[in-house]
Each structure stands twice: as structure tokens, then as C-alpha cells.
Amino acid sequence: MQTLPQNAPKFHLNTAYTLYLTLGVFSAHRFYLKKNVSAIFQLLGGFGFIIFVCFLVAYALISNDSALEILRSIRPSLEFDDQDTLRARENLIKPIMVFALPNLAYLAWIIYDFFNLEKMVDSANLSAGCEIENMNENPSESLNLEEKSANLASARQLAYIGCGLLILMAVLNIFGTKINGAELASTAGQICLAMSAYFIASTICSKTLLRNLTLFVVFDGLALIPFLMMMFGDKSLIAFVFGAVFTGLGACFALLIYKELFQTSGCEIFVKAFFVYALSCVIGLVLVYFNPILAIIAVQICSIINSLFIIACAKDSRNFEISKNNYYFSNLKFHISEFNKIKS
């Protein structure tokens, strides 16, 4: 294996993005870039933010009659009347109001880190006396054949593991089977897929793949909020519109991800995988408005199908070329027109 020159970049953008994507709430990206003091403060803010989100979720659940009915059906031993519910709301609203502002500041800090991550990596390399990473300079020398093969093998294995976990969790959810630690298994599956994307991004010298993947995860998570609101009985137009907007934005970044993977690998299954994902989004959004229970089953079935397509993509992709690194949201119109040409 070739040895890197002594002044080669010490910190890499893809590694920073992967840490941000998987453990960003715990400031893993700042610890990686040796910004230890600010990382410790951000880590403390991360723990506070998680607690704050738990308070918000609890308040939303006890403020919704449908959610309370579901909670009573799941745990019949819980005995609480309207007075208990009102008292619980009053006890929760105080910490929510007190900690809203600092948590909004923390959220703004995390968002700032995402858009500033490339500059942070360059600054860390300069401080360490290393070259600034340029992912398009001398791409043929970036990785040798042995390293590319090892990266792709790792990406393939992680994709199989991640999709396997997601398929397992989807099957369990369809049949209503409850297993301790199921949420951790689902999270582990998502992390495996993120790590798989990291190895591919490193192989194709892409600084856009993990960036778009992070934005996709954010909007996909935001789309879950109005989805849950509609599932628990909120059929308002606002909930549906927000669900449609967040789902649409997530689909835009999914298109950029799948198109980059298609153009660097030449594997047409990536194109089919995107349309399957987009169709599953539309089905889930429409069904949750009319039949929440059927929507949950449909979403799980779509998750299984999407995972199977990702497995097929991983199996069929044997070689990747260097990325053009032009897969930005500002170029979305161009990429959509190209995608339509591919489809036709």
C-alpha cells in the first residue's frame, strides 16, 4: 500500500461529515478536528438538547387525546384522569419555556457547523501544518487499486448489515412484535448505511455525497413530525402541507444522492431505487391522511423494498469513477432533467 507524503491532509472532509451525520449531536466532528474546548461545550449542549426533545415529545403526547388513548391501550395499568393530564402539562411547560432559547441557540450552532464544516477541516489541516484537502486535485493518485477494492468491500458489507437490520425491524413492526433494544437495532442499521456511504464517498473523492445524505436525514426526520401528527388525529391542512414540503425536500436530496451514485458507478439500479423511494414517500403521505394504521404497514413494506433495492445496488456496483462534485441543491433543475433522460 502506498504511503502518503508527510504533509498530506491529516483531517478529511468525508470523515468529518460521517461523524457529524452519526454522532454530531455529541460533537464528534469537533473532537475529530481537535477543537476540544468548543466540543465539550457542544457535547453538554447535546445532552441538554436530547432532554429538551424528550420533554417536547412527552408534552405533545399528553396534549393529544388520540395519543392518550393509544397509551392507555398499550399500558392499561396506567391510571390517570383529566386532572392528572392537566397537571402533567403544567409541569412540563415550565422547563420547556425555560430551556427553549438555549436549545434554539444550540440548534443554530449545530446547523452552522454543517455549513462551515469544509472550512473547519481546512483550518484544522493548516493548524497541523498539513496541506488543505482538495478532493478534485490529482484524483487518480488519491487511492490505489487495493485501497479502492478494500473501501468498496467495506461499503458493500456495511450496506448488507444495515439493510438487514432495517428489514428485520420492518418485519417485526408489521407483525407488532416488540423486542427490547429494537430502536437501537434500527439506529445501528442507519449508522451502517452512513458508514457505507462514507467508504463510497472516500473512493469517489466526493464532498457532496455525505453532505446531501446529512440534509436528506434532516428533512426525512422533520417529515416524521407532521406524519405522527396526522397519525394521532391531526388532519389539518397545515400538518399535511408541512409533511409534503419536508418529504419533497428529502426526495430532492435523495435524487442528488442516487444520481451521484449512478453516474459514478454506471449502475442503473440506483435510478430505479430512487423512483421506488419517491413512490413510497407519496404512498405514505397519502395513506396517513386517510388511514394511519394502513399507512404504518405501507411504510414498513416500502422500507423493506427500499432496503432490497439498496442491497441490489451494492451487489451490482463493482467499480466507481471519480465524482464530478456538482451535486448541489442549486443544480437541482439540471439533475432532474438529466434524471428524466435516464428514465426515458
Side-chain angles (χ1 to χ4, degrees):
M1 186 177 294
Q2 67 185 36
T3 57
L4 293 172
Q6 205 167 19
N7 61 343
K10 181 179 179 182
F11 304 99
H12 298 280
L13 185 61
N14 282 329
T15 304
Y17 268 128
T18 304
L19 291 171
Y20 181 95
L21 176 63
T22 55
L23 297 168
V25 71
F26 301 116
S27 197
H29 57 290
R30 282 186 172 265
F31 280 113
Y32 167 68
L33 297 173
K34 305 301 180 185
K35 298 180 180 293
N36 295 330
V37 175
S38 60
I40 290 171
F41 282 103
Q42 198 173 72
L43 173 65
L44 295 174
F47 284 119
F49 184 73
I50 291 173
I51 295 171
F52 180 73
V53 170
C54 290
F55 278 129
L56 283 177
V57 171
Y59 184 82
L61 287 174
I62 64 173
S63 300
N64 189 291
D65 294 335
S66 299
L68 287 174
E69 289 301 322
I70 293 173
L71 187 61
R72 287 190 180 101
S73 65
I74 295 173
R75 296 290 299 274
S77 58
L78 290 176
E79 296 181 0
F80 49 87
D81 53 24
D82 292 339
Q83 289 297 325
D84 294 326
T85 303
L86 182 61
R87 197 176 303 112
R89 288 178 190 171
E90 292 175 351
N91 291 334
L92 284 172
I93 195 64
K94 293 176 183 177
I96 288 174
M97 295 298 292
V98 170
F99 294 106
L101 190 58
N103 277 285
L104 284 174
Y106 167 80
L107 189 60
W109 190 10
I110 286 291
I111 294 171
Y112 169 81
D113 273 7
F114 172 78
F115 290 102
N116 204 45
L117 203 53
E118 192 170 350
K119 292 181 181 178
M120 290 167 63
V121 171
D122 289 344
S123 175
N125 279 321
L126 287 173
S127 299
C130 302
E131 290 181 349
I132 294 177
E133 183 179 19
N134 189 337
M135 307 189 85
N136 288 323
E137 186 177 345
N138 298 326
S140 60
E141 299 177 5
S142 58
L143 289 174
N144 60 29
L145 186 60
E146 183 182 349
E147 289 172 319
K148 287 181 179 179
S149 299
N151 277 358
L152 291 178
S154 299
R156 196 172 295 115
Q157 291 168 5
L158 286 166
Y160 292 156
I161 295 170
C163 290
L165 288 171
L166 293 179
I167 290 172
L168 175 63
M169 297 314 305
V171 171
L172 292 176
N173 287 332
I174 289 173
F175 292 100
T177 306
K178 301 296 181 183
I179 296 179
N180 292 332
E183 293 79 7
L184 291 177
S186 182
T187 302
Q190 298 288 356
I191 290 175
C192 284
L193 290 178
M195 292 301 297
S196 176
Y198 161 74
F199 283 111
I200 294 175
S202 298
T203 302
I204 65 178
C205 300
S206 172
K207 63 180 181 181
T208 55
L209 181 61
L210 290 172
R211 177 189 177 94
N212 289 331
L213 181 60
T214 306
L215 288 167
F216 164 75
V217 169
V218 169
F219 286 115
D220 199 48
L222 288 173
L224 185 62
I225 298 173
F227 183 91
L228 291 173
M229 288 170 61
M230 288 186 283
M231 190 176 72
F232 287 128
D234 184 356
K235 305 294 185 179
S236 64
L237 182 62
I238 281 188
F240 185 81
V241 168
F242 271 105
V245 169
F246 291 140
T247 300
L249 287 170
C252 289
F253 287 103
L255 183 145
L256 295 174
I257 292 166
Y258 280 113
K259 185 168 183 287
E260 183 171 10
L261 292 172
F262 162 70
Q263 289 196 319
T264 53
S265 69
C267 177
E268 291 189 5
I269 300 179
F270 283 113
V271 179
K272 297 175 183 177
F274 166 73
F275 285 109
V276 168
Y277 165 77
L279 181 62
S280 69
C281 288
V282 174
I283 291 172
L285 190 62
V286 171
L287 283 180
V288 75
Y289 193 81
F290 295 102
N291 192 325
I293 296 176
L294 190 59
I296 294 173
I297 296 174
V299 166
Q300 301 305 325
I301 292 174
C302 289
S303 176
I304 293 172
I305 296 172
N306 289 333
S307 298
L308 290 174
F309 264 93
I310 293 174
I311 289 173
C313 292
K315 185 178 179 181
D316 196 57
S317 303
R318 295 293 169 183
N319 190 26
F320 283 84
E321 299 176 354
I322 300 302
S323 173
K324 296 178 182 178
N325 276 309
N326 67 337
Y327 302 92
Y328 291 100
F329 190 79
S330 56
N331 300 331
L332 183 64
K333 186 177 179 181
F334 165 75
H335 290 299
I336 290 175
S337 64
E338 281 208 331
F339 226 82
N340 286 329
K341 293 177 185 176
I342 296 168
K343 184 182 69 170
S344 58

